[in-house]
């Protein structure tokens, strides 16, 4: 099992419950791909470095999880088509 982190930038113009549903859906994709979620960090609303889909702010979430090497590709495939996710990035964390 490797350690991974999924970073999500979620649309800031949607309601709180809709935003929570987006994060829950991403967490569901992680568990469906065989991952075990270890931590979820919410950084809140931040200004973006450049506009994405005519938006200058977004909510940042970081989901840490343990999974096999094939899981990130499955997760990215699902997250790529999610509504209200402006950007995402899944990276393997170093063993430090």
């Amino acid at each position: 099992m490797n350690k991974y982190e999924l970073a999500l930038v979620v649309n800031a113009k949607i309601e709180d419950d809709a935003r929570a549903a987006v994060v829950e859906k991403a967490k569901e994709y992680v568990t469906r791909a065989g991952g075990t979620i270890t931590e979820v960090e919410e950084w809140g609303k931040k200004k973006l470095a450049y506009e994405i889909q005519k938006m200058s702010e977004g909510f940042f979430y970081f989901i840490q999880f343990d999974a096999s090497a094939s899981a990130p590709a499955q997760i990215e495939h699902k997250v790529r088509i999610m509504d209200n996710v402006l950007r995402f990035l899944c990276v393997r964390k170093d063993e430090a």
Side-chain angles (χ1 to χ4, degrees), residues 59-73:
F59 275 84
F60 285 71
Y61 294 90
F62 296 91
I63 302 170
Q64 278 96 28
F65 62 97
D66 298 331
S68 64
S70 62

Side-chain angles (χ1 to χ4, degrees), residues 36-85:
T36 306
I37 296 172
T38 56
E39 186 181 356
V40 178
E41 288 182 57
E42 179 182 346
W43 280 17
K45 188 190 286 189
K46 302 282 183 188
K47 185 161 175 50
L48 302 174
Y50 54 91
E51 283 193 0
I52 302 171
Q53 298 175 7
K54 298 184 179 177
M55 291 178 225
S56 60
E57 292 181 323
F59 275 84
F60 285 71
Y61 294 90
F62 296 91
I63 302 170
Q64 278 96 28
F65 62 97
D66 298 331
S68 64
S70 62
Q74 296 173 24
I75 295 164
E76 285 182 0
H77 179 72
K78 298 283 189 186
V79 172
R80 184 177 317 273
I81 59 174
M82 285 178 69
D83 292 334
N84 296 315
V85 173

